Amino acid sequence: MADQVAGFSPKQFQLAFAAEKDGIGGGESTDGDYKFINIDSIEMPSLNPNQVLDVRHGVGRTLKQVDMFLTNKLTVKEINFSGIADNTTLPMLLSNITGVADASGDLTFNIQSQYAGVDLDFGASVIDNTKTFAVVLVTPTSNNQMLFKGCVLTSLSISADMAEEAGRFKVSGTFKSGCVPTLNDTDIDPTGTTHFNSNYFITDYGDSNTTGASTVIAGLSDPVLKSFSLSIENDAVFTGYDANGNYQQIHRAIPEVSVLFDAVVKYDSETEVLARNFEIQSTSTVANTLTAQNTTPALDISVPKAILTDVSFSEDDAMFVSVSTKAVASATGSDDLVSVNVQV
């Protein structure tokens, strides 16, 4: 029957992920191991099938059915998401994009200055969240889930704004896969527990008068912080192939792993120097540090060395300054490009 009476709300769709149990690209995980991301809205994954629709030589000047070439093999799929950060899924995401194994309790996820990426073979064992995920777009129609195997997190952004939801942390990112997906999986049924109430807030970051807290933006201590965004890009290149059209190798951090830190601070006699610092900077660097007060859950963020990439006015009820920076490695390679400490 074509005219189905049932309709669904966009809020009935969910996004879940878990480390693969049957090795890289295996696509299997225990239903109870999946964790749900507290998404803002659902987005159709980018399936990117190969489509060649060029008119071939023949009679007439129109595209013929026999001219078409269509395949889903050897293509890269992208699953974009945005939502609320929580202390269950955020450590898993940080573990994958930094390559640092996660464990229970507090942990520091860092990318060292000498980080050279990792190379992964399909079929290799997966023992933690640093390798590949199975990602499932859960639909409200029973036994009809979209399963993406062999996924790696290639971008992650953590942000907060005092003017939005009392400064509650948001998260966004992109999973990529080089495997042919199963868009009508009838076996998988994610049942992992959701933990949507354990959130992080920008108000965790005070000034030097707040116990345990400190804020340093572009080398300036204790500015009045309105918003910030930490973005980590650790892209993946897929190579090799099998008979089913799946890529067989994953290479991370090509051409580079990059870390960007942006913030908006109040314009005053201390922050007005940012424009001059941007214009005259040479080989010197600035630091960005957000240290949370003594509370849990909380995040400590450190970008020890960065260059200013943009400074501009940001008009609001009061005048603010928008400042953008990019993390750089030290000459000796002895420190971190970025470090995020998670207190759960």
Side-chain angles (χ1 to χ4, degrees), residues 43-122:
E43 184 175 329
M44 175 62 74
S46 299
L47 301 177
N48 303 319
N50 275 316
Q51 295 185 328
V52 180
L53 303 178
D54 298 333
V55 176
R56 308 301 296 175
H57 293 274
V59 178
R61 304 175 186 178
T62 58
L63 176 67
K64 310 300 191 299
Q65 183 176 349
V66 294
D67 293 342
M68 298 186 299
F69 173 76
L70 308 171
T71 181
N72 64 351
K73 296 181 178 181
L74 294 179
T75 60
V76 176
K77 317 301 181 183
E78 298 183 12
I79 304 98
N80 298 310
F81 65 89
S82 64
I84 306 301
D86 65 75
N87 69 343
T88 296
T89 57
L90 185 57
M92 297 171 66
L93 297 172
L94 284 166
S95 177
N96 193 261
I97 203 162
T98 63
V100 176
D102 55 341
S104 59
D106 299 349
L107 191 66
T108 297
F109 300 94
N110 64 326
I111 296 177
Q112 297 180 335
S113 293
Q114 66 269 28
Y115 177 79
V118 294
D119 301 303
L120 305 174
D121 254 333
F122 276 50

Side-chain angles (χ1 to χ4, degrees), residues 231-243:
S231 299
I232 304 173
E233 295 281 344
N234 189 355
D235 210 348
V237 172
F238 299 86
T239 60
Y241 58 90
D242 66 11

Side-chain angles (χ1 to χ4, degrees), residues 255-325:
E256 67 167 326
V257 59
S258 68
V259 177
L260 305 178
F261 187 92
D262 301 332
V264 176
V265 296
K266 183 173 68 72
Y267 179 89
D268 53 35
S269 59
E270 293 183 346
T271 60
E272 58 86 21
V273 73
L274 287 170
R276 292 199 300 274
N277 290 348
F278 173 49
E279 200 270 335
I280 66 173
Q281 68 180 336
S282 55
T283 58
S284 60
T285 59
V286 296
N288 298 291
T289 305
L290 296 177
T291 305
Q293 57 185 295
N294 298 328
T295 183
T296 54
L299 289 180
D300 292 341
I301 298 173
S302 174
V303 181
K305 288 181 172 59
I307 58 170
L308 295 164
T309 58
D310 185 64
V311 174
S312 60
F313 289 131
S314 178
E315 295 186 30
D316 207 314
D317 292 337
M319 180 61 82
F320 287 81
V321 180
S322 175
V323 55
S324 299
T325 64

Side-chain angles (χ1 to χ4, degrees), residues 16-31 33-34 121-126 131-137 145-152 177-183 185-190 242 246-248 250:
F17 69 106
E20 295 184 295
K21 296 294 186 183
D22 288 351
I24 293 174
E28 296 294 334
S29 192
T30 306
D31 288 346
D33 287 341
Y34 283 93
D121 254 333
F122 276 50
S125 62
V126 176
K131 302 297 190 296
T132 53
F133 292 131
V135 176
V136 181
L137 196 159
Q145 319 305 346
M146 296 184 180
L147 171 63
F148 296 86
K149 305 179 295 182
C151 295
V152 290
S177 170
C179 294
V180 175
T182 304
L183 301 182
D185 191 279
T186 58
D187 297 324
I188 198 167
D189 183 22
D242 66 11
N246 302 309
Y247 285 108
Q248 286 295 284
I250 307 173

Side-chain angles (χ1 to χ4, degrees), residues 162-186:
M162 285 292 294
E164 298 180 11
E165 301 179 17
R168 186 163 65 154
F169 276 33
K170 304 293 183 70
V171 66
S172 62
T174 299
F175 294 108
K176 285 187 180 181
S177 170
C179 294
V180 175
T182 304
L183 301 182
N184 58 343
D185 191 279
T186 58

